[in-house]
Amino acid sequence: MLPSIFQQAVPVLKKIERAGFDAYFVGGSVRDHFLGRPINDVDIATSAYPQELKEIFPKTIDIGIEHGTILVIEEGREYEITTFRTESAYADFRRPDKVEFIRSLEGDLERRDFTMNSMAMDADGKVYDPFMGLEDIHGRVIRTVGSPDLRFNEDALRMMRGVRFVSQLGFKVDPDTLNALKEHSSLLRHIAVERKTMEFEKIMGGKWKREALTLLVRTNLYTELPLLTQHKEALQQVADLPQLEVINKDQAWLLLLTYIGDTDPQEFLKGWRLPTKTVRERSKELEVLQIRRKSGWSKTLLYRAGLEAALNVEKVHECIESKPVSSVETVKEEYHSLAITSRQQLDVTGNDLMTWTDKKGGPWMKELLAEIESAIVTNTIKNDKETIRRWLQTCNRL
Ligand code: ATP
Ligand code: MG
C-alpha cells in the first residue's frame, strides 16, 4: 500500500490518465518513500501540456507556467503538476536557456540531477527507474544522471545539492561524481547567494554535517561560499566536533560564528543574505555564548538571553567542550526558576512610579524600571508591588 500522502493524490493522476495522458509521482517524494523518510509533499509530472491540464482541472493557478508547472486544486488540496520537459543549453551555468515540453517520461527523468531523484512511480505504485536510482539508494550513493562533468556545467547548483544530500541522508558521493565536484567547484561562483544559502541551510540542518562540511573543504566548494574563503580551518574545526550530529541548524550557525573568530558576526550573516531576524538572533546568541564561556550563567544572563537563546547557547557550549553529560536541562530548570522572565511580569508599572513620586513621565521611569527588574531577577527583592515600593523608599528613590 502506498503511503497516504500518495493515496490522496491518486485520483488526480487517474483523472489525467482518463484524459489520455501519463502522470507519475516524481522526484524527492519517491526517493524519500524508498528511504522510509517522512514526505512533505508529492511532485507530479505529466505528459499533458499546461493548457491541456487546465482543460482537465477546473481550478488551477499558474505558478511557473513558463517551466510547465501549475498548481491544481482538487477536493480542497493543492497539487504541483509539471509537464515533462527537457532543459537545453545552459550558457550561464545556472538556468536552462530553453525549456521544452515533451511527451516522454524518460526524457524528463534524464534532466534530473541525481539517480535517486530521477525515479517515477505511477498510481499503482509501479516504479520507473531507468537510471538505477533504487540501486543507488540501497548502496547509499549520490551519483549524477549521466556525466557529472556535463551535469555540473549545465547547473552548478547541483554541486551544492549533492553536498546537502550528503548532510541529510548520509550517503557517499560516487567517485566520478566526487572528482567532478573537485574539478568544477569554481563554477559555483555563477550561482546567486540566495540559492547557495538555501542549500547551505539544509547542510547545517542535516544529521551528517561532519561529512558534508568536510566535503565542502575537500572539494574547495567552500571557497565559493559567502565569506568562507578565508575560513577553511574554521569549517574543518566545526566539522571535527564529535557532537555535531545532534546540533540543529541555528546552533550550527552559532558554532560557525564562534570558529570564524574575528570576522564581524553581523557582516558574516548578512553576507549570506539571511533574514534580519536570524542575523539578530544569532548575533545576540554569540554575545551570550561568549559571556557564558567566560563567566558561566548568572540569573541576569539567563534573563537577558531568553529561554530559546539560552538553550541554543548551552547546547553549543556543550558541543565545543565535548561535554559527556548534558547541562541543557539544568539551564532550562534554572531559567524556569527565575522570578520573572519578562518585563511585562513586573508587579509595578510606569503609572505606579509616577503616582509614588508625583513626577511626570520621562526617561527616568525606564531607568528605574530597569533597576527594579534587575533587583527582582537577582532575587534581591520579591516581585510584589508593596515590597518594591518599600525597597525604593529605603534606597531613597521615592
Ligand atoms: P527536498 O526533499 O529537499 O524537496 P527534492 O529532491 O525534492 O528535495 P526539489 O528542489 O524539491 O528537491 O526538486 C524536486 C526534483 O526536481 C528533484 O528531486 C530533482 O529530480 C529535480 N531537480 C531539482 N533541482 C534540480 C537541479 N538543479 N537540476 C536537476 N534536477 C533538479
Ligand atoms: Mg521537493
Side-chain angles (χ1 to χ4, degrees):
M1 254 270 280
L2 287 178
S4 62
I5 188 151
F6 290 113
Q7 290 290 354
Q8 275 167 15
V10 163
V12 175
L13 268 64
K14 294 274 188 202
K15 206 166 171 181
I16 300 175
E17 285 173 3
R18 274 200 304 278
F21 302 98
D22 298 329
Y24 299 90
F25 298 114
V26 288
S29 58
V30 181
R31 176 199 66 223
D32 288 341
H33 169 54
F34 286 106
L35 276 165
R37 277 166 55 92
I39 300 163
N40 301 320
D41 51 358
V42 297
D43 292 324
I44 298 168
T46 178
S47 60
Y49 290 177
Q51 217 41 54
E52 293 165 335
L53 280 173
K54 288 186 184 183
E55 281 163 27
I56 301 172
F57 297 99
K59 265 199 196 164
T60 62
I61 301 171
D62 294 354
I63 51 171
I65 201 149
E66 64 288 359
H67 299 111
T69 304
I70 67 169
L71 200 68
V72 164
I73 298 139
E74 277 280 281
E75 310 276 340
R77 290 208 175 84
E78 297 179 343
Y79 301 92
E80 224 177 274
I81 309 186
T82 307
T83 302
F84 295 155
R85 60 177 208 226
T86 57
E87 298 171 349
S88 50
Y90 294 67
D92 59 357
F93 311 102
R94 44 187 171 179
R95 259 185 206 111
D97 287 351
K98 208 169 86 210
V99 168
E100 203 177 323
F101 299 145
I102 53 171
R103 297 287 189 189
S104 104
L105 170 67
E106 183 147 349
D108 183 77
L109 297 181
E110 205 175 354
R111 74 166 168 91
R112 294 174 184 270
D113 50 4
F114 300 108
T115 57
M116 63 183 179
N117 291 341
S118 69
M119 301 184 292
M121 190 167 73
D122 68 16
D124 303 318
K126 186 167 184 286
V127 178
Y128 298 81
D129 182 18
F131 304 104
M132 318 279 271
L134 263 183
E135 199 178 301
D136 282 341
I137 284 179
H138 290 133
R140 304 175 67 76
V141 175
I142 297 168
R143 186 196 315 270
T144 54
V145 171
S147 149
D149 295 314
L150 220 64
R151 303 315 305 283
F152 293 155
N153 268 281
E154 283 173 357
D155 178 1
L157 185 72
R158 289 173 185 153
M159 298 190 285
M160 279 301 279
R161 283 178 54 88
V163 180
R164 76 108 146 152
F165 287 122
V166 167
S167 188
Q168 291 178 322
L169 308 177
F171 283 19
K172 293 263 176 303
V173 179
D174 161 78
D176 286 345
T177 302
L178 180 62
N179 281 335
L181 280 181
K182 288 179 186 158
E183 193 164 329
H184 304 295
S185 57
S186 63
L187 292 178
L188 195 59
R189 76 184 51 159
H190 302 289
I191 301 296
V193 170
E194 288 80 357
R195 301 180 76 210
K196 296 183 205 179
T197 301
M198 267 174 68
E199 297 303 326
F200 192 71
E201 288 244 283
K202 290 180 182 174
I203 292 175
M204 298 294 250
K207 195 168 159 193
W208 286 269
K209 288 183 273 300
R210 166 200 309 282
E211 290 74 6
L213 295 179
T214 304
L215 190 60
L216 286 180
V217 171
R218 278 180 60 203
T219 53
N220 271 335
L221 279 167
Y222 79 95
T223 60
E224 303 299 339
L225 295 177
L227 289 95
L228 274 184
T229 316
Q230 308 299 325
H231 292 300
K232 183 179 182 176
E233 252 171 46
L235 261 185
Q236 196 58 61
Q237 280 170 324
V238 173
D240 289 340
L241 290 167
Q243 297 176 3
L244 199 57
E245 199 177 291
V246 294
I247 291 293
N248 70 24
K249 183 184 74 176
D250 293 345
Q251 296 157 358
W253 277 110
L254 186 52
L255 271 175
L256 193 54
L257 286 179
T258 306
Y259 283 92
I260 58 170
D262 290 344
T263 308
D264 179 75
Q266 302 232 6
E267 290 310 308
F268 181 79
L269 297 170
K270 280 187 199 156
W272 286 85
R273 311 248 209 288
L274 287 166
T276 317
K277 183 168 173 276
T278 309
V279 175
R280 212 183 320 118
E281 285 173 356
R282 296 297 88 70
S283 309
K284 176 182 155 183
E285 284 169 2
L286 183 67
E287 278 175 34
V288 175
L289 176 66
Q290 284 163 347
I291 302 172
R292 189 262 171 264
R293 290 182 60 70
K294 222 189 222 157
S295 331
W297 288 107
S298 63
K299 289 185 187 302
T300 310
L301 186 62
L302 268 177
Y303 178 79
R304 200 186 119 197
L307 182 61
E308 204 180 328
L311 298 183
N312 278 342
V313 163
E314 190 60 16
K315 192 78 201 161
V316 165
H317 172 69
E318 229 174 77
C319 181
I320 296 172
E321 297 292 318
S322 302
K323 288 213 299 196
V325 183
S326 174
S327 43
V328 172
E329 272 309 308
T330 318
V331 170
K332 198 173 184 176
E333 279 164 25
E334 277 171 23
Y335 182 84
H336 286 305
S337 74
L338 289 174
I340 54 168
T341 51
S342 83
R343 185 168 282 191
Q344 281 77 43
Q345 294 170 348
L346 280 181
D347 206 26
V348 289
T349 60
N351 275 338
D352 293 326
L353 296 184
M354 285 192 285
T355 317
W356 293 343
T357 54
D358 222 6
K359 280 204 279 186
K360 275 202 199 130
W364 65 271
M365 256 166 44
K366 213 175 150 199
E367 284 163 29
L368 195 51
L369 278 173
E371 276 182 56
I372 299 167
E373 184 185 24
S374 167
I376 291 170
V377 169
T378 53
N379 288 353
T380 310
I381 51 166
K382 264 175 59 181
N383 184 27
D384 161 80
K385 194 178 278 198
E386 193 43 36
T387 314
I388 298 167
R389 198 182 60 83
R390 264 189 268 123
W391 179 72
L392 289 173
Q393 267 174 342
T394 342
C395 310
N396 290 326
R397 306 301 295 267
L398 294 183

